mmCIF file of all heavy atoms in Angstrom:
data_model
loop_
_atom_site.group_PDB
_atom_site.id
_atom_site.type_symbol
_atom_site.label_atom_id
_atom_site.label_comp_id
_atom_site.label_asym_id
_atom_site.label_seq_id
_atom_site.Cartn_x
_atom_site.Cartn_y
_atom_site.Cartn_z
ATOM 1 N N ARG A 254 100.410 152.052 96.321
ATOM 2 C CA ARG A 254 100.744 152.887 95.179
ATOM 3 C C ARG A 254 100.486 154.348 95.388
ATOM 4 O O ARG A 254 99.613 154.939 94.727
ATOM 5 C CB ARG A 254 99.978 152.393 93.969
ATOM 6 C CG ARG A 254 100.472 151.082 93.422
ATOM 7 C CD ARG A 254 99.713 150.671 92.186
ATOM 8 N NE ARG A 254 99.479 151.751 91.233
ATOM 9 C CZ ARG A 254 100.250 152.036 90.197
ATOM 10 N NH1 ARG A 254 101.304 151.299 89.928
ATOM 11 N NH2 ARG A 254 99.964 152.999 89.383
ATOM 12 N N ASP A 307 92.524 151.683 92.729
ATOM 13 C CA ASP A 307 93.216 150.448 93.069
ATOM 14 C C ASP A 307 94.637 150.484 92.559
ATOM 15 O O ASP A 307 95.127 151.472 92.077
ATOM 16 C CB ASP A 307 92.451 149.211 92.624
ATOM 17 C CG ASP A 307 92.448 149.041 91.095
ATOM 18 O OD1 ASP A 307 93.133 149.776 90.387
ATOM 19 O OD2 ASP A 307 91.698 148.164 90.608
ATOM 20 N N TYR A 308 95.296 149.331 92.672
ATOM 21 C CA TYR A 308 96.708 149.234 92.328
ATOM 22 C C TYR A 308 97.002 149.429 90.844
ATOM 23 O O TYR A 308 98.164 149.608 90.459
ATOM 24 C CB TYR A 308 97.273 147.884 92.834
ATOM 25 C CG TYR A 308 96.772 146.690 92.059
ATOM 26 C CD1 TYR A 308 97.588 146.030 91.160
ATOM 27 C CD2 TYR A 308 95.481 146.241 92.240
ATOM 28 C CE1 TYR A 308 97.127 144.917 90.438
ATOM 29 C CE2 TYR A 308 95.022 145.120 91.572
ATOM 30 C CZ TYR A 308 95.853 144.474 90.667
ATOM 31 O OH TYR A 308 95.391 143.387 89.987
ATOM 32 N N LEU A 309 96.003 149.463 90.021
ATOM 33 C CA LEU A 309 96.182 149.712 88.568
ATOM 34 C C LEU A 309 95.969 151.134 88.162
ATOM 35 O O LEU A 309 96.133 151.503 86.999
ATOM 36 C CB LEU A 309 95.277 148.785 87.762
ATOM 37 C CG LEU A 309 95.538 147.277 87.906
ATOM 38 C CD1 LEU A 309 94.472 146.482 87.176
ATOM 39 C CD2 LEU A 309 96.937 146.929 87.394
ATOM 40 N N SER A 310 95.501 151.963 89.085
ATOM 41 C CA SER A 310 95.166 153.357 88.734
ATOM 42 C C SER A 310 96.433 154.148 88.404
ATOM 43 O O SER A 310 97.523 153.880 88.932
ATOM 44 C CB SER A 310 94.485 154.023 89.940
ATOM 45 O OG SER A 310 93.273 153.388 90.242
ATOM 46 N N ALA A 311 96.257 155.166 87.556
ATOM 47 C CA ALA A 311 97.341 156.057 87.185
ATOM 48 C C ALA A 311 96.776 157.469 87.061
ATOM 49 O O ALA A 311 95.707 157.664 86.502
ATOM 50 C CB ALA A 311 97.980 155.625 85.845
ATOM 51 N N ALA A 323 91.229 156.886 85.720
ATOM 52 C CA ALA A 323 90.141 156.031 85.230
ATOM 53 C C ALA A 323 90.154 154.755 86.103
ATOM 54 O O ALA A 323 91.205 154.237 86.429
ATOM 55 C CB ALA A 323 90.294 155.683 83.770
ATOM 56 N N GLN A 324 88.962 154.293 86.435
ATOM 57 C CA GLN A 324 88.844 153.119 87.288
ATOM 58 C C GLN A 324 87.830 152.138 86.657
ATOM 59 O O GLN A 324 86.721 152.537 86.326
ATOM 60 C CB GLN A 324 88.346 153.507 88.669
ATOM 61 C CG GLN A 324 88.163 152.351 89.600
ATOM 62 C CD GLN A 324 89.506 151.694 89.911
ATOM 63 O OE1 GLN A 324 90.474 152.351 90.263
ATOM 64 N NE2 GLN A 324 89.597 150.388 89.757
ATOM 65 N N TYR A 327 85.229 145.829 88.256
ATOM 66 C CA TYR A 327 85.386 144.405 87.931
ATOM 67 C C TYR A 327 84.039 143.706 87.946
ATOM 68 O O TYR A 327 83.862 142.672 87.323
ATOM 69 C CB TYR A 327 86.319 143.736 88.930
ATOM 70 C CG TYR A 327 87.693 144.344 88.945
ATOM 71 C CD1 TYR A 327 88.103 145.143 89.988
ATOM 72 C CD2 TYR A 327 88.574 144.102 87.894
ATOM 73 C CE1 TYR A 327 89.371 145.718 90.015
ATOM 74 C CE2 TYR A 327 89.847 144.687 87.910
ATOM 75 C CZ TYR A 327 90.199 145.467 88.965
ATOM 76 O OH TYR A 327 91.470 146.053 88.974
#
Side-chain angles (χ1 to χ4, degrees):
R254 289 182 43 96
D307 70 8
Y308 70 106
L309 296 174
S310 299
Q324 180 65 50
Y327 300 106

